[in-house]
Amino acid sequence: MIASGVEVISEQISSGVAVLKPEYGSQHIDKEGNSIVDQSLLDEWEANKQAQTINSLSKSVQVDLRKRKYDFARSEEALLRLDKRKPKTKPESEKEANASENGSELSQTKDVAENCIGPADTEFPRSVREKKRSIDWKDKLYLSPLTTVGNLPFRRICKEFGVDITCGEMAMASNILQGANQEWALIKRHGTEDIFGVQVCGNNPYVLTRCAQVLQEQADIDFVDINMGCPIDLVYQQGGGCGLMRREKVLYSVVECMNDVLDIPLTIKMRTGIYSDKSTAHKLISGLCARGVSLITVHGRSREQRYTRSADWSYIETCAKLAGETPLFGNGDILSYEDYVEARKNCPSISGVMIGRGALIKPWIFTEIKEQRMWDISSNERFEIIKKYVNYGLHHWGSDTKGVENTRRFLLEWLSFLYRYIPVGLLETPPQKVNQRPPFYRGRNDLETLMASPNCDDWVKISEMLLGPVPDGFTFLPKHKANSWK
């Protein structure tokens, strides 16, 4: 039997039709030799595709990144073109002049210049604009990339309430290139996020360009966003985040090179400036637009102001007018449908709105805006949202001890914003404003009163209602301790 089986297989191989059918194969293969498809199971799988989480880093790519074996040829070409576009010093200019007699280096430089577009001091390959995938940004609601609290389970909640665009938490470009698990975890995307981007932070074109390439090749994303708004001292002092706003030449080099390697849109989020008495964003707008940025978002506060002042929407409108055909979004202090209407009325030139703290305080704000109403949501409805978040968290971080505690920690971070919501039915003069400190009040039931407590211990109690008792010695202090009240 074995010999005859070998002969049959050998005959099939020699004839070019090598098909091995085990005893049980007839249950899975039809008479023509094709796999039998169970349509009901296929339909179920297709229906559940949206429930999948994607963008996990493969082990082989992680090893290549850590051993510096990843192929960054595309980035190297973009950086080489950048070096050719840099202004030459006098000795270099003389060298080119001498070389021009032989028609070598100067002719190469001329070829590069002929294939470029834009102002004289800012040229990049014409193919950049032609090859880009486009996104319709008009009138979209954009959830701000929120460090720590803008995690995947929270974004799922916001998607269910109608947000159009989501973006991962700020990821450090250098850590992505090192294959760091905690950084790649920020890039994970849920199937319901139909327009999803990744925000990266760095301080030079060499790191950011390679980061852009590896993200495009190894992750399913719709756009890459450059962080120019992070106010953290360590990031700023190293020239990243807000620090890029004071390094104009480096910023333009970053945009040119990243645009060169990306086939998807490149976007930017910035602040009005670094100092409270000196706005500088408007000086960068035209240069960024000329270099092919697909979307610019301006947060209406400076690095120095943090959250101690109201967002300057009149300045955002000034920037939007300078952006011309490039879409520009405004960001800051949107907590109600009325705030949204006022922002669009006062800033007719903006293409859409980004919402950050407003979504953390009341994630149903996207429903309010789209349905043009004020929602007096009940405490039971709010508790159901928290319960759903916990379920999403256990699915994302795991249901073991570590997963439960991760879910608890991120839930508590969110509750440090969620307690600030004042029920519409209790407001004397609605709508609530984001920078007004809520007064102490008693809710319409015990659950509503508990949810309004500013005490960390009460937030822990809410977590225990869903995740069980906290471990011995457990303490919690919110990571976001920025002053957010006037």
Side-chain angles (χ1 to χ4, degrees), residues 218-288:
Q218 303 303 326
D220 182 0
I221 56 179
D222 299 304
F223 64 93
V224 175
D225 185 74
I226 301 175
N227 182 302
M228 283 175 56
C230 180
I232 298 173
D233 289 340
L234 181 61
V235 174
Y236 172 75
Q237 290 167 1
Q238 293 179 349
C242 277
L244 278 175
M245 295 191 70
R246 58 182 173 85
R247 304 170 67 216
E248 187 173 329
K249 291 183 179 179
V250 174
L251 169 62
Y252 291 158
S253 296
V254 165
V255 173
E256 290 174 20
C257 291
M258 290 181 73
N259 246 334
D260 208 348
V261 300
L262 286 173
D263 299 331
I264 56 179
L266 177 67
T267 67
I268 281 181
K269 185 185 179 211
M270 66 169 76
R271 290 177 178 265
T272 58
I274 296 169
Y275 305 106
S276 57
D277 59 346
K278 187 177 181 181
S279 297
T280 57
H282 65 282
K283 298 179 181 179
L284 304 173
I285 297 294
S286 60
L288 293 172

Side-chain angles (χ1 to χ4, degrees), residues 340-355:
Y340 173 81
V341 171
E342 184 179 358
R344 297 306 300 266
K345 179 181 178 181
N346 296 334
C347 302
S349 302
I350 64 174
S351 299
V353 166
M354 175 184 281
I355 302 176

